[in-house]
Short mmCIF file of all heavy atoms in Angstrom, two decimals:
data_model
loop_
_atom_site.label_atom_id
_atom_site.label_comp_id
_atom_site.label_asym_id
_atom_site.label_seq_id
_atom_site.Cartn_x
_atom_site.Cartn_y
_atom_site.Cartn_z
N VAL V 144 102.92 108.50 90.84
CA VAL V 144 103.02 108.54 92.40
C VAL V 144 103.64 107.30 92.82
O VAL V 144 103.18 106.20 92.41
CB VAL V 144 101.60 108.85 93.02
CG1 VAL V 144 101.79 108.60 94.56
CG2 VAL V 144 101.10 110.22 92.81
N SER V 173 104.59 114.79 86.09
CA SER V 173 105.17 114.95 87.54
C SER V 173 105.45 113.64 88.13
O SER V 173 104.80 112.66 87.81
CB SER V 173 104.13 115.70 88.41
OG SER V 173 103.00 114.99 88.53
N LEU V 184 100.15 108.21 109.14
CA LEU V 184 99.01 107.41 108.76
C LEU V 184 98.54 106.72 110.02
O LEU V 184 99.24 105.86 110.57
CB LEU V 184 99.43 106.42 107.61
CG LEU V 184 98.28 105.87 106.80
CD1 LEU V 184 97.50 106.91 106.11
CD2 LEU V 184 98.94 104.98 105.70
N ILE V 204 93.25 113.86 113.87
CA ILE V 204 94.24 114.95 113.95
C ILE V 204 95.67 114.33 113.69
O ILE V 204 96.04 113.37 114.24
CB ILE V 204 94.20 115.55 115.38
CG1 ILE V 204 92.93 116.31 115.62
CG2 ILE V 204 95.44 116.52 115.61
CD1 ILE V 204 92.77 116.89 117.06
N SER V 225 108.28 98.28 98.59
CA SER V 225 108.47 97.94 99.97
C SER V 225 109.69 96.98 100.07
O SER V 225 110.11 96.20 99.14
CB SER V 225 107.26 97.12 100.43
OG SER V 225 107.60 96.69 101.78
N PRO V 256 97.51 102.02 85.52
CA PRO V 256 98.68 101.27 85.36
C PRO V 256 99.63 101.39 86.49
O PRO V 256 99.65 102.49 87.19
CB PRO V 256 99.33 101.91 84.02
CG PRO V 256 98.76 103.28 83.99
CD PRO V 256 97.34 103.09 84.54
N ASN V 266 116.29 86.75 100.67
CA ASN V 266 115.18 85.92 100.40
C ASN V 266 113.84 86.65 100.83
O ASN V 266 113.89 87.68 101.38
CB ASN V 266 115.27 84.43 100.95
CG ASN V 266 115.36 84.56 102.52
OD1 ASN V 266 114.88 85.42 103.13
ND2 ASN V 266 116.19 83.56 103.08
N GLU V 273 104.42 88.65 95.38
CA GLU V 273 103.08 88.08 95.12
C GLU V 273 102.04 88.80 96.03
O GLU V 273 100.94 89.00 95.51
CB GLU V 273 103.19 86.54 95.43
CG GLU V 273 103.92 85.73 94.51
CD GLU V 273 104.07 84.35 94.95
OE1 GLU V 273 103.69 84.02 96.09
OE2 GLU V 273 104.46 83.43 94.11
N GLU V 276 101.28 92.20 94.47
CA GLU V 276 100.51 92.10 93.19
C GLU V 276 99.17 91.56 93.47
O GLU V 276 98.23 91.95 92.77
CB GLU V 276 101.30 91.08 92.25
CG GLU V 276 102.57 91.64 91.72
CD GLU V 276 103.14 90.83 90.61
OE1 GLU V 276 102.57 89.82 90.25
OE2 GLU V 276 104.19 91.24 90.05
N MET V 279 97.46 94.85 94.51
CA MET V 279 97.30 95.70 93.38
C MET V 279 96.20 95.18 92.48
O MET V 279 95.40 95.93 92.00
CB MET V 279 98.60 95.83 92.65
CG MET V 279 99.74 96.56 93.51
SD MET V 279 101.43 96.28 92.95
CE MET V 279 101.43 97.23 91.43
N GLU V 288 104.74 96.02 85.37
CA GLU V 288 106.02 95.68 85.69
C GLU V 288 106.22 95.27 87.10
O GLU V 288 105.51 95.84 87.99
CB GLU V 288 107.07 96.83 85.29
CG GLU V 288 108.50 96.40 85.42
CD GLU V 288 108.93 95.39 84.34
OE1 GLU V 288 108.38 95.43 83.23
OE2 GLU V 288 109.80 94.58 84.58
N SER V 295 122.53 93.61 97.45
CA SER V 295 123.94 93.36 97.16
C SER V 295 124.28 93.70 95.65
O SER V 295 125.40 93.56 95.19
CB SER V 295 124.28 91.89 97.36
OG SER V 295 123.49 90.98 96.58
N PRO V 298 121.10 97.90 90.28
CA PRO V 298 120.13 97.79 89.12
C PRO V 298 120.79 98.10 87.81
O PRO V 298 121.52 99.11 87.66
CB PRO V 298 119.03 98.70 89.54
CG PRO V 298 119.06 98.80 91.02
CD PRO V 298 120.56 98.83 91.33
N THR V 303 116.56 99.82 83.85
CA THR V 303 115.90 100.95 84.41
C THR V 303 115.38 101.78 83.26
O THR V 303 114.17 102.30 83.28
CB THR V 303 116.86 101.83 85.27
OG1 THR V 303 117.38 101.01 86.30
CG2 THR V 303 116.15 103.04 85.89
N GLY V 308 110.67 103.61 80.11
CA GLY V 308 109.93 103.62 78.83
C GLY V 308 108.52 103.05 78.91
O GLY V 308 107.67 103.60 78.32
N PHE V 333 82.18 88.96 93.75
CA PHE V 333 81.50 90.05 94.47
C PHE V 333 80.14 90.44 93.78
O PHE V 333 79.24 90.79 94.33
CB PHE V 333 82.39 91.32 94.42
CG PHE V 333 83.55 91.20 95.34
CD1 PHE V 333 84.81 91.58 95.03
CD2 PHE V 333 83.33 90.80 96.66
CE1 PHE V 333 85.89 91.48 95.89
CE2 PHE V 333 84.40 90.78 97.61
CZ PHE V 333 85.69 91.09 97.17
N GLN V 334 80.09 90.26 92.47
CA GLN V 334 78.84 90.40 91.71
C GLN V 334 77.72 89.54 92.26
O GLN V 334 76.54 90.10 92.46
CB GLN V 334 79.06 90.24 90.19
CG GLN V 334 77.89 90.76 89.33
CD GLN V 334 78.23 90.53 87.84
OE1 GLN V 334 78.57 89.40 87.53
NE2 GLN V 334 78.27 91.55 87.11
N LEU V 361 84.93 93.20 84.29
CA LEU V 361 85.55 94.47 84.48
C LEU V 361 86.15 95.04 83.21
O LEU V 361 86.12 96.22 82.84
CB LEU V 361 86.60 94.50 85.56
CG LEU V 361 86.16 94.44 87.06
CD1 LEU V 361 87.43 94.16 87.94
CD2 LEU V 361 85.40 95.60 87.46
N GLN V 362 86.71 94.07 82.36
CA GLN V 362 87.27 94.55 81.10
C GLN V 362 86.19 95.07 80.24
O GLN V 362 86.44 96.08 79.51
CB GLN V 362 88.01 93.41 80.41
CG GLN V 362 88.75 93.85 79.24
CD GLN V 362 90.03 94.61 79.53
OE1 GLN V 362 90.87 94.14 80.30
NE2 GLN V 362 90.03 95.77 79.00
N ARG V 367 84.11 100.08 77.72
CA ARG V 367 83.06 100.97 77.47
C ARG V 367 83.30 102.39 77.98
O ARG V 367 82.88 103.32 77.37
CB ARG V 367 81.80 100.47 78.20
CG ARG V 367 81.11 99.24 77.61
CD ARG V 367 79.84 98.91 78.41
NE ARG V 367 79.24 97.70 77.89
CZ ARG V 367 78.05 97.24 78.54
NH1 ARG V 367 77.50 97.92 79.49
NH2 ARG V 367 77.48 96.09 78.07
N MET V 372 86.07 107.87 82.62
CA MET V 372 86.00 107.53 84.06
C MET V 372 86.58 108.70 84.83
O MET V 372 87.45 109.42 84.33
CB MET V 372 86.78 106.27 84.36
CG MET V 372 86.23 105.00 83.69
SD MET V 372 87.27 103.59 83.80
CE MET V 372 87.46 103.30 85.59
#
Side-chain angles (χ1 to χ4, degrees):
V144 170
S173 64
L184 202 55
I204 295 176
S225 177
N266 58 34
E273 290 176 346
E276 292 190 358
M279 296 159 71
E288 189 66 33
S295 59
T303 304
F333 287 134
Q334 190 179 56
L361 284 174
Q362 189 67 59
R367 289 182 184 179
M372 296 170 62

